[in-house]
Amino acid sequence: MSRKENLHQLTVTALFAAAITVMTAYMLHIPIPTGGYIHLGDTLIYLAACLLPFPYAAAAATIGAGLADLLTAPMWVLPTLVIKAVVVLFFTSGHRRILCRRNIAAVVLAGLFSPAAYALAGCAMAGTMAAFIPQFLGTLVQGIGSGALFLVIVPALDGVKLKERLGV
């Protein structure tokens, strides 16, 4: 990869990290009764994972979500760094279109993995498995919302050839 291409990838990564932070921490930020909040930042993580090669997508996801947690719920930063990096692995940026079979399957896998991983982290923090169900259900609602939004907007992004326009 040339220096120019690398700079382009880093710039897109930084823009995604910033957008993920803002979308996760502040926009459409809906508190849930079991603690925490519902956000649509994962939609942007999924999109970054479909547009950028893994190291860049993982950086955007972990930096963006990690900063959002640092600003809103610092105890979740470490689990978030691991969980979001794994979530990115489910997706592919190698297909010419964003909406491909693997990325559709990835939405489902990420929507199940993320709540389970956060629920296990919540159990470790609480010191009891009783925290699993409330944490899992709250995060599952968020995952469904983020996945649904991703599946709704991606056909339009493919229609305007976003991958080609971004040069990623």
Side-chain angles (χ1 to χ4, degrees):
M1 183 181 307
S2 73
R3 289 184 73 162
K4 184 178 178 181
E5 291 169 332
N6 189 38
L7 180 60
H8 179 73
Q9 297 281 21
L10 287 172
T11 302
V12 173
T13 300
L15 290 170
F16 264 112
I20 290 165
T21 300
V22 171
M23 182 66 86
T24 302
Y26 302 114
M27 295 185 71
L28 300 172
H29 191 235
I30 306 161
I32 55 174
T34 59
Y37 56 91
I38 297 170
H39 63 81
L40 298 176
D42 285 356
T43 300
L44 293 177
I45 290 173
Y46 301 168
L47 187 58
C50 295
L51 295 172
L52 297 166
F54 172 75
Y56 296 95
T62 58
I63 292 167
L67 282 173
D69 280 352
L70 194 59
L71 293 167
T72 61
M75 68 282 210
W76 291 101
V77 171
L78 291 177
T80 290
L81 295 177
V82 174
I83 293 166
K84 298 309 181 189
V86 172
V87 163
V88 168
L89 287 171
F90 297 134
F91 293 85
T92 182
S93 63
H95 199 274
R96 71 176 178 81
R97 296 181 57 84
I98 299 167
L99 195 60
C100 63
R101 284 187 205 162
R102 176 167 170 180
N103 290 338
I104 293 169
V107 169
V108 175
L109 290 172
L112 294 173
F113 169 79
S114 192
Y118 275 110
L120 289 173
C123 290
M125 286 186 229
T128 176
M129 287 303 288
F132 187 88
I133 295 297
Q135 181 67 43
F136 179 83
L137 293 176
T139 312
L140 181 63
V141 170
Q142 174 202 307
I144 291 169
S146 290
L149 180 60
F150 175 83
L151 294 172
V152 166
I153 65 171
V154 164
L157 298 176
D158 275 339
V160 298
K161 300 183 185 324
L162 180 66
K163 284 186 85 154
E164 188 178 307
R165 289 175 186 259
L166 279 179
V168 292

